[in-house]
Amino acid sequence: MDLIGCRVTIMQNRNTNLNDIYMSDRLQAQLQQIDQYAMTCVVAPMGYGKTTAVNWFLGERSKAPGTRVVRISVYSDSLAIFWRNAQSAFAHAGLDFLRQYELPSDLQGAMLVMDDLNRALVGTGPFYIFLDDYHLLQGPRCAHFLCKCAVRLPKNVHIIVASRNHFLSEAEITKLCSRVCILGPKQLRLDKDDLAVYTRRCGADLTESQLQQLLYATEGWISAVYLNLRTLADRGALPERGSDIYNLFTAAMIDPLPPMQQEFLTVLSLADEFTIEMAKAVTGREDAAELLADLTTRNAFVKRLPDSDRYRCHHVMKHCAMRAFHKLSAEKQTVYYDRYGQWYEQHGHLLHAMTAYRACGDYDALLRVIEKDSGIRLAITRLKIVLADLDACPKSTLKEHPIALLVLMRCMFNWHQIPKMLELKNLLLETVEEHPAWPGEYRSNLLGECDLITSFLFYNDIAAMSVLHRSASEKMTRPAISIQKANGWTFNSPSVLMMYHSKPGALDAELTEIDRCMPHYCKITDNHGIGADRLMQAEAAFTRGQLDDAMIALERTYAQTDGSGQENIALCGDFLSLRLSLFGQGAPRYTPLGRYELLQQQHNVPWVRFWDACCAYYYALLGQEEAIPEPFRLHRLEGINFLAPGRPMILLIENQVYLTQKAWPKVIGRSEKLLEGAAAFRYSLVALYLRIQTAAAYAMMAKQTEAAALLQETLQEAKMDGLVLPFAENYRYLKTLLQDMPQDAFTSRIQTLGEALETHCAELLHARTYPAEFDVLTEREREICALIAARLSNREIAARLFLSEGSVKQYCNRIYSKLNIEGGHPLQTPAAGRMDGKLLTFG
């Protein structure tokens, strides 16, 4: 008997519910494997029940005490929204520290997040992280991070990823090996026996032939089976063969509803997730709770999220509902989008609010949200979307929102869209001119902040910036809206002097200008960058070899920055403090490791990245190559995001590492390109350092002619401002060459400082409480050695240092390898005596 066109009876069983979850014994057995793997990928086309299967498994596991589950749903390709969802999901599980992290922009940032996860999750009970609809994220970044997690996270953590598409490469699968399990359509689809059980549970009395035909028609695809049975229950007949899944869905799940419920469902399907309160506000229906209760009872594609007051619609529902939504009148669509915008705006979801207002063309509301956002979330919006908004928004509407014009000006500068920035500036000036009746203070503040933003066009021309900052300060009576105090002032450059010394011979004038400029700038930005002027003075004194004056100015810098929230300026000060200590000017304010651990506690990835650069330079000067942070020691900077104005300084530091590693040809080969980068920003001091490094490399390769010519030229330039320290910091390479230069007070001062640096570095390297053999270890590795010597176990060391036990084991393996010790933990292996013998000298 053919299935198509036949009538099939549905048994009258009041306990029958098509929405009851059915998990076959075969699938349950497959899902049990999740506990054996670090990562499980559930990959199948839409409608195969991926989410249902994983949620059933997690529901079963959650019954065990101590089990925690984090569910993260992906709704778009926006990494920013994904990160926000992840932060909320972890916070719901009691792990709120992720909220302190910005979205990691590179692998190094992701690793810092992972280290914190390691510390938080090690030793806890079973922990499951479920990423649903992963296919909506594009690009390999997240996949690479997940692979790292699968290798590094504690054994009690299990990552489950549901996706329509395969997202791991063959190479990644091979590398993960026994850590990854992949479940696909074969495991998820219903076979004939499963189908027979499921249809009987649903009350459908199908013959053997009908079952076979249904299996053939649906290929065991659970959503297709469900829709066929739903059609059977509603109409007494199965749908025709070859029905399109979307048409089948619409016919089964939307068309049978009364018009009011159809509209209610289609409107809510626009949201990623929604609560009952949101449903009331958006649909305008006070009976939203009752309608939702009815929908979730009769519709398996609308679900309340586990352990939550939020609901979500399946993607097939969203797709079909969107088609239905666009059949509503334009007026109704506008009303609903506007309600969405109002809800999101009132609840602080400003990106979503912008999207909703954009959809209904309410540019007045969109600009209002941009003003509230102050450019924070707008900065992570795609540039082409913002440009399209500006093209579509009437000029008259833009003029009604001068604060939004300021925010957009700043964003255009950040995006290097200078013509558009200037166009917005002219529109703002025109707007102010057209409104002479506006209160004078309001007009003055607008014009002042316009001057402030315009000053960025003259970056590192302190005189030109100072004119605009003083003008802005005279006009403004409130802090700038477009400048966020929490943002870094130095673009993560480790040196203010390197940023603002732009012309040989002009250093004194530049110091005078920054003294005049910064008080005005700080006044109108709520002390953003406070202490930068004092720090530039300290760095100038240091670079001139006036070490006592540098110490005094540095302490004045700390007096201004302490408690100001300007960590980036304080970090630049700490870098100077490290360099001063190498010349015997007291102990640094923080040890490299001590400062690193403080920064880790603040969860600020750019600052940790910044401190890596500072430590790389410090250890390069000290000659302690093994202690140089890995990204610089192994030259893995390409995958790390540095802000463009700070990048020339970072590459200068990498050059210093190359010198320490005796990679002379590399230093010479890079010089031309690096000098071009410095010239683009008019970084005179950076260029000076780069030429000195190149001369040093030539000298070490016995190319005396090239070295002498370059050094002579550089000496003449440096004398104009008395900059002796760049030569002294490279004295070990230039010593012989300098002796052949014409001798004067300038070269004599270089030699004196160079000798002092060499002497003090030698003292630091030999002033150890451990044997010389331990020089090959990093500071962190020596710290772990000291704890091993104190008879702490791996678990105790992990707790003391906020590491995972696995990370401690990895450190120990590296330590044993470097010290040529065979075996495991010295307290548990025959190597113990040999290790103890070495560790006893640790004080």
Side-chain angles (χ1 to χ4, degrees):
M1 177 180 176
D2 196 304
L3 184 66
I4 304 305
C6 75
R7 289 279 171 179
V8 182
T9 61
I10 295 288
M11 294 180 291
Q12 299 302 313
N13 182 347
R14 67 178 58 191
N15 294 321
T16 295
N17 186 349
L18 286 175
N19 292 340
D20 287 343
I21 294 175
Y22 169 65
M23 301 295 297
S24 70
D25 292 340
R26 181 177 56 84
L27 180 54
Q28 290 186 41
Q30 295 286 346
L31 293 172
Q32 304 303 322
Q33 300 179 69
I34 291 174
D35 287 326
Q36 303 170 27
Y37 294 91
M39 181 161 68
T40 300
C41 306
V42 187
V43 182
M46 179 185 65
Y48 267 77
K50 301 182 293 293
T51 303
T52 301
V54 174
N55 278 333
W56 175 87
F57 169 81
L58 294 176
E60 293 296 306
R61 288 295 181 269
S62 295
K63 296 174 183 177
T67 299
R68 287 192 288 177
V69 175
V70 167
R71 292 179 174 87
I72 306 170
S73 296
V74 180
Y75 293 109
S76 71
D77 61 354
S78 169
L79 285 174
I81 294 176
F82 166 71
W83 182 244
R84 177 174 172 169
N85 290 343
Q87 290 172 317
S88 298
F90 274 90
H92 185 71
L95 296 171
D96 202 36
F97 68 87
L98 277 191
R99 291 195 188 279
Q100 301 176 53
Y101 279 106
E102 296 294 329
L103 170 68
S105 60
D106 53 38
L107 185 58
Q108 186 189 31
M111 291 302 100
L112 289 171
V113 173
M114 193 182 306
D115 286 342
D116 256 359
L117 283 173
N118 257 313
R119 288 190 285 271
L121 300 181
V122 66
T124 64
F127 197 99
Y128 298 92
I129 303 172
F130 176 31
L131 277 73
D132 198 9
D133 290 316
Y134 180 85
H135 55 273
L136 294 175
L137 289 177
Q138 298 178 2
R141 282 176 58 186
C142 287
H144 294 337
F145 178 61
L146 290 174
C147 289
K148 295 284 186 182
C149 287
V151 172
R152 295 184 57 179
L153 289 181
K155 292 182 179 179
N156 60 303
V157 179
H158 306 279
I159 302 168
I160 309 169
V161 185
S163 174
R164 292 184 197 171
N165 311 314
H166 287 282
F167 58 91
L168 296 179
S169 66
E170 290 297 327
E172 287 169 331
I173 293 173
T174 302
K175 186 174 181 179
L176 288 174
C177 191
S178 61
R179 290 186 175 90
V180 65
C181 170
I182 298 178
L183 302 179
K186 181 179 179 181
Q187 288 78 29
L188 292 168
R189 65 166 50 103
L190 301 177
D191 62 19
K192 187 177 178 181
D193 293 338
D194 298 332
L195 188 60
V197 175
Y198 179 54
T199 54
R200 283 198 298 272
R201 287 191 178 188
C202 292
D205 187 14
L206 301 183
T207 66
E208 186 72 16
S209 175
Q210 291 166 347
L211 278 173
Q212 187 63 46
Q213 289 294 328
L214 182 59
L215 182 64
Y216 175 78
T218 62
E219 297 182 346
W221 181 8
I222 186 65
S223 291
V225 173
Y226 172 86
L227 290 170
N228 272 266
L229 294 179
R230 171 60 70 184
T231 303
L232 175 62
D234 291 342
R235 302 181 182 181
L238 288 157
E240 295 182 359
R241 181 181 298 164
S243 298
D244 174 79
I245 184 65
Y246 294 113
N247 291 332
L248 185 62
F249 183 95
T250 302
M253 309 306 300
I254 297 178
D255 289 348
L257 297 173
M260 179 274 293
Q261 291 188 12
Q262 283 190 33
E263 190 166 319
F264 178 82
L265 179 59
T266 57
V267 169
L268 288 181
S269 294
L270 299 178
D272 295 336
E273 296 175 0
F274 54 89
T275 61
I276 289 175
E277 288 305 312
M278 181 178 175
K280 288 180 181 179
V282 171
T283 64
R285 300 210 50 102
E286 287 300 317
D287 58 348
E290 293 76 13
L291 291 171
L292 275 173
D294 182 56
L295 274 174
T296 52
T297 299
R298 297 191 296 110
N299 190 328
F301 293 87
V302 182
K303 291 287 188 183
R304 182 169 178 168
L305 295 172
D307 306 318
S308 173
D309 62 348
R310 293 169 294 137
Y311 294 78
R312 69 173 294 192
C313 297
H314 191 281
H315 279 286
V316 68
M317 166 69 80
K318 291 172 71 70
H319 180 90
C320 294
M322 181 62 77
R323 294 198 301 187
F325 180 81
H326 287 306
K327 292 178 181 178
L328 297 176
S329 67
E331 291 77 12
K332 276 193 172 183
Q333 291 182 47
T334 297
V335 167
Y336 287 127
Y337 275 128
D338 187 63
R339 287 177 182 173
Y340 267 113
Q342 291 181 45
W343 172 269
Y344 288 132
E345 182 181 355
Q346 291 166 8
H347 291 79
H349 304 310
L350 300 188
L351 270 181
H352 286 81
M354 291 180 206
T355 301
Y357 288 137
R358 186 178 293 120
C360 64
D362 189 346
Y363 290 103
D364 182 72
L366 175 60
L367 291 170
R368 182 179 69 236
V369 174
I370 287 174
E371 290 174 351
K372 289 182 179 180
D373 176 60
S374 298
I376 298 172
R377 296 163 191 83
L378 188 65
I380 57 178
T381 305
R382 290 186 178 89
L383 171 61
K384 65 179 182 180
I385 293 176
V386 181
L387 291 176
D389 288 340
L390 288 173
D391 288 340
C393 181
K395 183 181 288 189
S396 58
T397 305
L398 280 168
K399 286 185 171 184
E400 292 171 5
H401 294 272
I403 298 295
L405 286 174
L406 289 171
V407 172
L408 288 163
M409 275 179 64
R410 176 62 195 271
C411 288
M412 290 301 142
F413 173 80
N414 292 342
W415 282 322
H416 308 295
Q417 299 291 311
I418 305 306
K420 180 60 72 173
M421 172 191 172
L422 295 175
E423 180 185 321
L424 292 170
K425 175 186 175 181
N426 291 333
L427 188 62
L428 175 69
L429 297 177
E430 184 181 314
T431 301
V432 174
E433 184 71 23
E434 291 172 356
H435 291 81
W438 279 351
E441 184 175 302
Y442 180 68
R443 288 164 51 89
S444 187
N445 278 317
L446 291 174
L447 293 172
E449 188 157 357
C450 181
D451 284 344
L452 173 62
I453 297 170
T454 302
S455 73
F456 301 144
L457 295 174
F458 300 94
Y459 169 66
N460 95 339
D461 182 343
I462 304 181
M465 295 184 78
S466 182
V467 170
L468 288 164
H469 289 167
R470 292 198 302 273
S471 172
S473 176
E474 290 168 2
K475 296 172 183 173
M476 295 179 68
T477 60
R478 58 155 175 82
I481 293 167
S482 60
I483 304 290
Q484 298 300 311
K485 183 180 178 181
N487 291 345
W489 188 88
T490 66
F491 298 104
N492 286 340
S493 162
S495 165
V496 175
L497 184 63
M498 287 184 180
M499 294 169 64
Y500 286 100
H501 178 44
S502 60
K503 184 179 179 181
L507 179 55
D508 287 329
E510 290 163 346
L511 291 171
T512 299
E513 286 296 344
I514 200 167
D515 272 349
R516 297 174 64 193
C517 172
M518 284 306 296
H520 295 287
Y521 178 84
C522 290
K523 172 192 167 187
I524 56 179
T525 59
D526 193 21
N527 284 332
H528 181 234
I530 191 169
D533 46 354
R534 300 284 80 80
L535 179 59
M536 187 168 169
Q537 290 178 351
E539 290 184 296
F542 174 73
T543 309
R544 286 169 161 170
Q546 301 161 357
L547 303 186
D548 290 339
D549 291 342
M551 292 283 287
I552 293 169
L554 179 58
E555 288 304 323
R556 287 174 175 162
T557 303
Y558 286 139
Q560 283 194 307
T561 58
D562 285 349
S564 70
Q566 294 304 286
E567 190 79 358
N568 58 324
I569 302 296
L571 281 167
C572 288
D574 295 338
F575 179 46
L576 178 58
S577 176
L578 281 180
R579 295 165 73 192
L580 279 163
S581 72
L582 292 178
F583 287 88
Q585 297 295 306
R589 193 185 197 202
Y590 296 101
T591 66
L593 181 60
R595 191 58 160 130
Y596 182 83
E597 290 180 342
L598 284 175
L599 294 175
Q600 275 190 315
Q601 293 169 19
Q602 296 178 57
H603 310 292
N604 189 302
V605 172
W607 290 346
V608 172
R609 186 183 299 130
F610 170 101
W611 193 243
D612 273 349
C614 296
C615 291
Y617 193 79
Y618 171 79
Y619 284 119
L621 293 185
L622 190 57
Q624 206 170 346
E625 181 185 342
E626 283 294 323
I628 294 171
E630 184 177 285
F632 287 86
R633 187 178 72 255
L634 301 181
H635 304 286
R636 294 175 176 168
L637 301 184
E638 286 304 314
I640 298 177
N641 293 329
F642 293 102
L643 295 174
R647 192 167 185 82
M649 294 74 157
I650 299 302
L651 297 178
L652 179 157
I653 289 172
E654 186 184 26
N655 235 30
Q656 199 69 41
V657 173
Y658 275 125
L659 282 176
T660 300
Q661 295 171 331
K662 301 180 180 180
W664 324 123
K666 181 70 75 172
V667 174
I668 296 168
R670 286 160 45 99
S671 63
E672 184 176 349
K673 184 176 181 180
L674 296 189
L675 283 167
E676 288 176 359
F681 287 98
R682 303 191 316 147
Y683 287 159
S684 177
L685 183 56
V686 173
L688 183 75
Y689 265 100
L690 291 170
R691 289 198 298 272
I692 291 171
Q693 291 169 339
T694 306
Y698 274 129
M700 299 310 293
M701 294 187 74
K703 292 186 173 292
Q704 300 302 317
T705 302
E706 294 89 339
L710 188 52
L711 183 61
Q712 183 65 46
E713 174 191 337
T714 310
L715 282 167
Q716 291 305 314
E717 178 184 312
K719 282 181 182 179
M720 298 169 69
D721 292 297
L723 308 181
V724 293
L725 250 292
F727 301 94
E729 287 184 326
N730 288 281
Y731 184 68
R732 72 180 64 171
Y733 311 112
L734 300 172
K735 186 173 185 177
T736 302
L737 198 61
L738 280 166
Q739 292 171 352
D740 296 332
M741 293 286 127
Q743 299 300 299
D744 55 19
F746 190 76
T747 54
S748 176
R749 183 61 178 153
I750 291 172
Q751 289 166 340
T752 300
L753 288 167
E755 295 289 349
L757 176 65
E758 286 202 327
T759 299
H760 197 68
C761 284
E763 291 173 355
L764 288 173
L765 287 172
H766 289 92
R768 297 285 186 250
T769 55
Y770 51 80
E773 298 163 273
F774 283 73
D775 283 343
V776 299
L777 303 180
T778 66
E779 190 169 349
R780 172 66 94 179
E781 289 166 349
R782 286 194 292 272
E783 187 176 17
I784 289 173
C785 283
L787 296 177
I788 293 174
R791 293 295 195 274
L792 271 66
S793 68
N794 285 344
R795 181 180 293 275
E796 291 168 330
I797 293 171
R800 179 78 63 88
L801 299 181
F802 304 102
L803 298 170
S804 70
E805 198 169 343
S807 295
V808 173
K809 289 178 181 177
Q810 291 176 11
Y811 272 115
C812 288
N813 289 336
R814 286 202 296 268
I815 291 167
Y816 304 145
S817 174
K818 290 180 179 180
L819 298 180
N820 298 315
I821 295 174
E822 299 177 359
H825 194 296
L827 306 182
Q828 303 164 357
T829 70
R834 295 170 57 200
M835 188 67 166
D836 279 351
K838 293 185 177 184
L839 292 177
L840 283 175
T841 55
F842 259 76

